[in-house]
Amino acid sequence: MAASANVSQLRPPCNFITPRHGILTLYGHGIRVYVERGHLIVKDGIGSDRHEGRFARIGHGLRRLVVIGSDGFVSLSALNWLANQDAAFVMLERDGKVLLATGPTGPWDARLRRSQALARDTRVGLDIARELITHKLVGQEQIARGRLQNQSIGETIAQARANLDAAENIETIRSLEAQGAAAYWSAWRALRITFPKSDLPRVPDHWLSLGTRKSPLTGSPRLAANPANAILNYLYALLESEARLAAVALALDPGIGFLHVDTDARDSLASDLMEAVRPHIDAYLLDWIRRQPFRREWFFEKNDGNCRLMAQFCLRLSETAQTWGALVAPVAEWVSRTLWSTIRNARRQVHPATHLTQTHRRDVKGAGLSLPLPPAPQPPRVCPGCGAPVKKGKTHCAPCAIAIQREGFLKIAEQGRMVSHSAESELKRGDTQRKRHEAQRDWHIWNHPTWLTEQFYSEQIQPRLGLIEVKAIAATLGISIPYASYIRAGRRRPHPRHWLSLASLVRVS
């Protein structure tokens, strides 16, 4: 389905492309990636609005080149340029399918590949699968107990995790993982998805909740039918590409896994490595849903009901790839070390290289084992009222904030009027007026000092009241704070019986 004319698919008005968080995402029609005089040239865009980037081999800051779609070309010299710069090339579809992921490769060792191929039917493959699923269930339990506040489901996941220790085959591990996943995603079904008020008339009802992870179109997570599942699919696709790149960088075969069944067009090892990191993506999306609304213009619905992501929105999501790559790197290196430990007579190299985390280099330098994790880019901040972009530290745009404040003031004023006209307030007001009339009746002009005239009050007392606190004036005269502020500002002139007290307060005679 073609996008409507009022939906923006383009970047902000800028014709030069720059990487964000080390990620450069290209989309549109007629994408071109080639090398010209040693510079990497990239072009993308839709229609006549084209964007171009030119990167030298020094100072480009490019770590990932992500292409969304399949219209255009990439030259062999461009792939060679990226490989020489240790930058990866990834092709994705907006429905969460990984078309291609290639990047820097590590030194090949046939013994490691052979050990990987044989490990699935041994105790080593079982231990690797158990460890990966253990990390996944631990993360899901923490989300269920902490963010979702569902202790019963957290207990169910904890029980499935405890039973992993007794699992003696891959089928049992898969069954326990499925039990934990069923309980985990059941806690997500009632999660409400918010949209700005201005977008709600154009939002289908089934978009307002996450529902089940199984799409009604396929019976699996593929071809999501609502925005939340569509975002999850795309973020998982980014994680899958990072897992594949990590496996290749460590000279592992991304297609030979331990937990997932071998099928066509799937990298089983990359899918295995993803399991330990999936809860981090879930937590990222859950925090996003609870803090910020979605925009209707980020999604569109195909004729069959498939919810797809707009290209501009995919660009923002792709910026999180570096974070997921940093999370999957230690997992991939642990699998590599575990497989290496099964190789006999591995004399030339005690441990495999740690190209991803640089753990060996930090150990030599005494930097410790901690790996700095790049924070995931913050989701777009939008106004809950109109959906306009919102600056950091703000919850609403300026026009909506003014309207909300006006409504708040009106509500407060209405409550104040209701309280001021209650029976109790009327009794207090009547008592105060009775005391004021009695005080005026008991006051006599002949007890008033002759020098304390109206002119003396205006020239000597009133100007000095600006230096006195309102509370002091109210306490001295026994009046309310608002009326005392009027007296200090000169908007009200008190009864002459109060002039002597005010003269003493400002110290004039």
Side-chain angles (χ1 to χ4, degrees):
M1 182 180 69
S4 58
N6 63 342
V7 177
S8 173
Q9 297 195 44
L10 301 177
R11 293 186 177 89
C14 179
N15 291 326
F16 188 76
I17 309 174
T18 56
R20 288 173 55 88
H21 307 283
I23 311 296
L24 180 62
T25 305
L26 307 179
Y27 63 90
H29 303 288
I31 297 173
R32 302 178 64 187
V33 183
Y34 60 94
V35 175
E36 182 180 88
R37 289 182 290 180
H39 291 73
L40 181 69
I41 309 299
V42 297
K43 298 180 180 180
D44 75 340
I46 298 177
S48 60
D49 196 343
R50 304 288 293 175
H51 308 89
E52 180 176 344
R54 186 180 184 91
F55 306 99
R57 290 190 173 94
I58 301 297
H60 51 77
L62 183 61
R63 305 300 303 168
R64 297 284 187 275
L65 178 62
V66 180
V67 174
I68 301 175
S70 56
D71 186 81
F73 74 87
V74 180
S75 68
L76 296 177
S77 58
L79 295 176
N80 183 63
W81 191 96
L82 292 171
N84 291 334
Q85 298 300 311
D86 290 336
F89 176 76
V90 180
M91 285 187 64
L92 301 175
E93 284 284 5
R94 285 181 286 177
D95 61 356
K97 182 179 180 181
V98 180
L99 300 178
L100 175 66
T102 180
T105 59
W108 298 101
D109 194 317
R111 295 174 299 173
L112 184 61
R113 287 291 185 95
R114 185 178 296 109
S115 174
Q116 179 186 356
L118 298 176
R120 180 169 183 172
D121 299 326
T122 66
R123 191 72 183 182
V124 175
L126 184 65
D127 292 341
I128 292 176
R130 180 187 292 111
E131 188 68 18
L132 295 176
I133 297 303
T134 298
H135 279 80
K136 178 181 181 179
L137 293 180
V138 167
Q140 291 180 343
E141 179 187 354
Q142 292 175 350
I143 292 175
R145 295 183 185 274
R147 289 176 168 85
L148 297 176
Q149 295 295 313
N150 196 319
Q151 302 301 324
S152 61
I153 289 181
E155 188 62 31
T156 302
I157 299 174
Q159 184 61 40
R161 177 175 56 85
N163 294 335
L164 282 175
D165 295 336
E168 294 295 333
N169 51 65
I170 297 295
E171 288 71 20
T172 303
I173 294 178
R174 291 189 190 127
S175 176
L176 293 173
E177 187 273 337
Q179 294 175 17
Y184 174 69
W185 290 113
S186 66
W188 285 66
R189 291 185 179 180
L191 188 66
R192 302 300 298 173
I193 310 299
T194 59
F195 286 83
K197 294 180 179 179
S198 59
D199 290 348
L200 286 177
R202 300 182 294 118
V203 175
D205 292 339
H206 64 277
W207 282 20
L208 298 178
S209 63
L210 186 137
T212 177
R213 275 292 288 156
K214 292 184 179 180
S215 169
L217 303 177
T218 60
S220 67
R222 291 182 59 254
L223 301 183
N226 56 56
N229 281 303
I231 294 175
L232 269 180
N233 288 348
Y234 190 81
L235 292 177
Y236 285 160
L238 293 174
L239 175 58
E240 181 183 351
S241 64
E242 292 296 325
R244 188 185 190 284
L245 294 173
V248 173
L250 297 173
L252 296 172
D253 190 330
I256 304 177
F258 311 100
L259 181 65
H260 287 80
V261 178
D262 295 334
T263 59
D264 296 337
R266 181 171 73 182
D267 293 331
S268 297
L269 179 61
S271 300
D272 291 349
L273 300 177
M274 291 173 56
E275 299 299 331
V277 186
R278 285 180 187 268
H280 294 276
I281 292 181
D282 301 341
Y284 174 78
L285 179 61
L286 185 57
D287 292 341
W288 182 356
I289 291 174
R290 291 190 166 180
R291 294 174 184 174
Q292 296 293 328
F294 290 162
R295 289 296 310 274
R296 176 62 179 84
E297 66 178 22
W298 294 345
F299 316 94
F300 70 97
E301 191 174 41
K302 299 182 67 177
N303 294 334
D304 60 354
N306 177 212
C307 180
R308 301 289 294 271
L309 308 180
M310 300 299 290
Q312 175 69 21
F313 186 54
C314 290
L315 183 148
R316 297 296 299 270
L317 294 179
S318 298
E319 296 173 2
T320 63
Q322 187 177 6
T323 300
W324 317 135
L327 288 169
V328 80
V331 179
E333 289 186 352
W334 174 81
V335 172
S336 177
R337 290 196 305 270
T338 303
L339 294 175
W340 188 265
S341 64
T342 64
I343 300 176
R344 296 182 179 180
N345 300 325
R347 299 176 180 176
R348 292 183 300 174
Q349 192 174 352
V350 179
H351 297 290
T354 55
H355 301 290
L356 304 177
T357 62
Q358 302 296 327
T359 302
H360 292 171
R361 181 177 298 179
R362 291 199 311 276
D363 290 345
V364 173
K365 295 182 178 181
L369 298 177
S370 60
L371 178 66
L373 178 64
Q378 291 297 319
R381 302 179 62 87
V382 298
C383 176
C386 64
V390 177
K391 296 181 179 179
K392 185 177 181 180
K394 303 293 184 180
T395 57
H396 295 79
C397 64
C400 291
I402 294 175
I404 292 174
Q405 289 179 354
R406 184 183 297 112
E407 292 178 1
F409 291 151
L410 292 176
K411 290 181 179 179
I412 294 174
E414 183 179 358
Q415 294 175 358
R417 286 192 295 269
M418 293 176 61
V419 172
S420 63
H421 288 81
S422 64
E424 183 180 358
S425 298
E426 293 291 348
L427 290 175
K428 290 183 178 180
R429 191 180 299 110
D431 184 58
T432 301
Q433 292 177 356
R434 183 172 56 257
K435 291 180 179 179
R436 180 170 60 85
H437 289 309
E438 292 176 355
Q440 292 179 356
R441 187 181 65 246
D442 296 339
W443 181 81
H444 300 285
I445 188 64
W446 52 80
N447 293 331
H448 193 66
T450 57
W451 55 269
L452 194 54
T453 63
E454 183 176 348
Q455 182 180 2
F456 186 88
Y457 175 83
S458 301
E459 296 178 356
Q460 302 296 328
I461 299 177
Q462 174 61 45
R464 290 179 170 83
L465 290 178
L467 304 176
I468 306 300
E469 292 184 357
V470 175
K471 293 181 179 180
I473 298 175
T476 301
L477 304 184
I479 59 178
S480 65
I481 294 292
Y483 190 63
S485 65
Y486 292 156
I487 292 176
R488 190 179 73 164
R491 297 173 60 183
R492 294 287 188 276
R493 177 175 293 175
H495 190 269
R497 72 179 188 276
H498 294 309
W499 291 358
L500 186 62
S501 300
L502 293 178
S504 301
L505 186 64
V506 299
R507 297 180 181 180
V508 296
S509 61

